[in-house]
């Protein structure tokens, strides 16, 4: 019987299927947002559609981790994509029959968000089965590209399809993209997760909590995750306020927002390319901490004082360039240290805590700018007299002051990481798990350029 593709070539096939499905999803998100705004004209409805999917991803993350570790990874990947395909197909039926309503959009988005809770943890944990240890950063760079590359062209493609047809065409394309993703998973070899002899059987509830307990009981994991949560909160505050800052500094120019966001997407793709090209270093935390310093200085401090479009675009390119470096190397550390049969639950717990930083940032950023800093930075107010010459006045000055503050805090967090042994030396403190991926069994014969290893094939 002919072997299925394995190793790097197999991972690339799965990755390509996921990339297509994310392009389809981004197109659907764009088209649905336009439809909601045209149909209701209410920002609340627009926000609730987004919130329904986000809330489901957060809520179902711990449960997703349980199933990822209990089932084989092929089945979990397929169920995630098939579930999303069914949800999108159902939405297509609603539009074809002319029976679509807001509650149906909320319900479908909630279902899609629940299935998306599986995506990042299962994809991250599958890397350790399909790739050699030295290839983890490259695989993580490819994962980041799945999130960033569609942002370059999916909205424009969706707009073109809406002009030529309507939302039903986009929903059909999205549904078919999931079918391609499932086919890619079926066609390749994904090794089974090594099972531990004598493992204790846990209840569903115990399994849901296992990932959190695993992180909390290890000092290095606990401190690293706390470190990442703080960085994510600071980054999320900047993300929430980025568009308002650009609008306030450029006279409400939508073109300026488009230029900045596109430049940021280009920076993210370039960062992913560099991460995928570089050889995996022995000291990944050093690069993570240095990238956080660059992120904080260019993306926060410089953004606080930048008042012209070229400088704003230049800053966001540097910021976006560092994000795949930070994410890719930290993910690699977790993949090297956490045993494969535990990774689903641990990575799902990480996803849960890190996703919560977005609503936390939103709750902090909006009231802080609107109720405190904007009045304080109005012309004639105390803040404008002290800091107006550096950050500007009014809303632009208030938002700029927030960016500067979180930039300083970001540098402080990086410095804390440098001086905290449990974080700085985590790669030496914690042992690597024994390689479980099929490709590792041929590490002596496979080249560093990512050629697949013809062993460990699932049939």
């Amino acid at each position: 019987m002919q072997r299925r593709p394995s190793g790097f070539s197999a991972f690339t096939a799965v990755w390509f299927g996921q990339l297509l499905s994310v392009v389809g999803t981004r197109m659907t998100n764009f088209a649905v947002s336009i439809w909601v705004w045209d149909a209701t004209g209410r920002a609340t409805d627009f926000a609730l559609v987004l919130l329904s999917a986000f809330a489901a991803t957060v809520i179902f993350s711990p449960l997703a981790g349980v199933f990822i570790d209990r089932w084989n990874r092929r089945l979990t990947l397929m169920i995630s994509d098939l579930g999303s395909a069914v949800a999108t197909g159902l939405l297509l039926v609603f539009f074809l029959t002319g029976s679509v309503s807001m509650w149906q959009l909320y319900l479908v988005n909630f279902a899609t968000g629940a299935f998306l809770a599986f995506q990042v943890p299962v994809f991250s944990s599958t890397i350790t089965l399909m790739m050699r240890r030295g290839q983890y950063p490259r695989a993580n760079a490819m994962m980041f590209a799945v999130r960033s590359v569609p942002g370059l062209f999916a909205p424009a493609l969706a707009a073109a399809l809406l002009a030529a047809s309507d939302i039903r065409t986009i929903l059909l394309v999205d549904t078919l993209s999931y079918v391609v993703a499932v086919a890619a998973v079926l066609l390749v070899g994904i090794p089974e997760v090594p099972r531990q002899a004598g493992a204790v059987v846990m209840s569903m509830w115990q399994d849901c909590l296992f990932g959190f307990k695993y992180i909390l009981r290890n000092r290095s994991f606990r401190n690293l995750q706390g470190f990442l949560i703080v960085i994510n909160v600071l980054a999320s505050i900047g993300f929430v306020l980025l568009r308002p800052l650009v609008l306030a500094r450029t006279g409400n120019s939508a073109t300026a927002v488009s230029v900045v966001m596109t430049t940021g997407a280009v920076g993210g793709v370039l960062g992913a390319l560099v991460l995928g090209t570089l050889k995996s270093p022995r000291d990944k935390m050093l690069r993570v901490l240095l990238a956080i310093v660059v992120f904080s200085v260019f993306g926060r401090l410089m953004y606080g004082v930048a008042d012209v479009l070229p400088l704003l675009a230049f800053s966001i390119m540097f910021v976006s360039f560092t994000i795949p470096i930070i994410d890719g190397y930290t993910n690699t550390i977790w993949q090297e240290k956490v045993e494969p049969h535990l990774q689903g639950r641990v990575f799902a717990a990480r996803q849960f805590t890190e996703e919560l930083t977005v609503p936390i940032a939103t709750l902090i950023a909006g009231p802080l700018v609107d109720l405190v800093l904007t009045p304080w930075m109005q012309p004639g107010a105390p803040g404008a007299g002290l800091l107006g010459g550096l950050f500007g006045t009014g809303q632009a000055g208030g938002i700029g002051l927030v960016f500067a503050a979180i930039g300083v805090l970001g540098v402080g967090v990086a410095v804390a990481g440098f001086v905290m042994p449990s974080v700085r030396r985590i790669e030496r403190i914690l042992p690597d798990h024994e390689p479980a991926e099929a490709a590792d069994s041929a590490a002596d014969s496979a080249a560093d350029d990512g050629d697949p290893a013809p062993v460990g094939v699932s049939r």
Side-chain angles (χ1 to χ4, degrees):
M1 181 178 178
Q2 187 177 4
R3 293 180 182 271
R4 290 170 171 157
S6 61
F8 185 78
S9 62
F11 179 80
T12 302
V14 175
W15 170 85
F16 184 73
Q18 297 300 314
L19 179 64
L20 288 180
S21 70
V22 172
V23 170
T25 300
R26 294 285 182 88
M27 291 171 59
T28 293
N29 290 343
F30 179 89
V32 168
S33 66
I34 297 297
W35 184 90
V36 169
W37 188 256
D38 288 342
T40 70
R42 294 183 299 188
T44 300
D45 290 325
F46 181 83
L48 287 175
V49 169
L50 299 177
L51 181 62
S52 59
F54 175 81
T57 299
V58 173
I59 292 169
F60 283 93
S61 285
L63 189 61
V66 174
F67 290 122
I68 291 169
D69 282 341
R70 291 189 178 191
W71 300 339
N72 66 62
R73 301 287 155 79
R74 183 197 302 279
L75 177 63
T76 313
L77 282 167
M78 289 175 56
I79 288 177
S80 175
D81 287 329
L82 282 173
S84 298
V86 170
T88 305
L90 184 61
L91 188 58
L92 173 60
V93 171
F94 290 149
F95 274 99
L96 287 172
T97 58
S99 61
V100 66
S101 61
M102 290 306 303
W103 73 266
Q104 291 169 335
L105 285 178
Y106 300 149
L107 183 62
V108 169
N109 261 31
F110 188 84
T112 302
F115 287 111
L116 287 177
F118 289 80
Q119 285 282 348
V120 172
V122 71
F123 209 33
S124 296
S125 57
T126 301
I127 286 173
T128 58
L129 299 179
M130 301 182 72
M131 306 284 280
R132 295 170 49 221
R133 194 184 300 279
Q135 296 171 334
Y136 291 175
R138 180 183 298 184
N140 286 315
M142 294 169 70
M143 278 186 62
F144 185 86
V146 166
R147 290 151 42 197
S148 59
V149 169
L152 291 174
F153 58 86
L157 184 57
L161 285 176
L162 284 176
S165 182
D166 57 30
I167 192 172
R168 293 172 294 185
T169 302
I170 292 176
L171 291 171
L172 177 60
V173 170
D174 190 13
T175 304
L176 293 176
S177 72
Y178 284 114
V179 174
V180 174
V182 172
V185 173
L186 283 172
L187 290 175
V188 303
I190 301 178
E192 294 288 339
V193 180
R195 299 301 174 185
Q196 302 298 304
V200 177
V201 178
M202 298 183 183
S203 68
M204 187 68 72
W205 176 248
Q206 289 174 319
D207 256 349
C208 285
L209 296 177
F210 177 85
F212 300 97
K213 293 180 178 179
Y214 183 93
I215 294 171
L216 289 173
R217 70 171 175 243
N218 183 289
R219 182 182 181 186
S220 289
F221 282 144
R222 181 175 66 248
N223 289 346
L224 176 60
Q225 187 60 20
F227 172 85
L228 294 174
I229 289 171
V230 174
I231 290 298
N232 272 305
V233 170
L234 298 177
S236 296
I237 291 174
F239 177 77
V240 169
L241 295 177
L242 176 59
R243 289 175 179 84
L245 177 66
V246 175
L247 290 170
R249 289 272 166 87
T250 61
N252 292 330
S253 171
T255 300
V257 175
S258 175
V259 169
V260 169
M261 300 311 295
T262 301
T263 305
V266 171
V269 172
L270 291 175
L273 288 174
V274 170
L275 176 63
T277 303
L278 294 176
K279 184 178 179 181
S280 181
R282 290 187 177 183
D283 193 349
K284 290 175 279 292
M285 271 309 300
L286 176 61
R287 294 191 181 183
V288 170
L289 295 170
L290 291 175
I292 290 173
V293 171
V294 174
F295 177 94
S296 300
V297 171
F298 281 93
R300 300 302 178 248
L301 284 172
M302 184 178 289
Y303 245 82
V305 299
D307 58 357
V308 293
L309 181 59
L311 189 55
L312 290 168
F314 175 78
S315 298
I316 194 64
M317 177 173 286
F318 266 91
V319 170
S320 301
F321 181 88
T322 62
I323 292 174
I325 306 296
I326 297 168
D327 285 353
Y329 285 136
T330 52
N331 284 342
T332 297
I333 291 171
W334 288 93
Q335 289 160 341
E336 290 176 346
K337 306 302 179 183
V338 179
E339 298 88 337
H341 68 286
L342 307 177
Q343 287 182 4
R345 286 164 288 178
V346 173
F347 292 170
R350 290 184 59 217
Q351 176 175 261
F352 179 88
T353 56
E354 290 172 14
E355 289 286 340
L356 283 178
T357 62
V358 177
I360 291 172
T362 303
L363 291 173
I364 293 173
L368 180 62
V369 169
D370 293 338
L371 302 179
V372 180
L373 295 179
T374 297
W376 193 62
M377 294 293 288
Q378 290 296 332
L386 291 171
L387 302 169
L390 185 61
F391 299 108
T393 59
Q395 187 181 53
I399 299 175
L401 184 57
V402 172
F403 270 91
I406 61 178
V408 172
L409 290 173
V411 173
V413 172
V415 171
F418 274 111
V419 301
M420 189 183 300
S422 59
V423 173
R424 178 67 186 88
R425 300 179 60 248
I426 186 172
E427 294 170 87
R428 283 170 282 178
I429 293 173
L430 299 180
D432 291 352
H433 64 75
E434 288 298 318
E437 64 273 23
D440 254 349
S441 63
D444 292 334
S445 59
D448 283 338
D449 62 358
D451 290 338
V455 292
V457 177
S458 295
R459 298 183 181 276

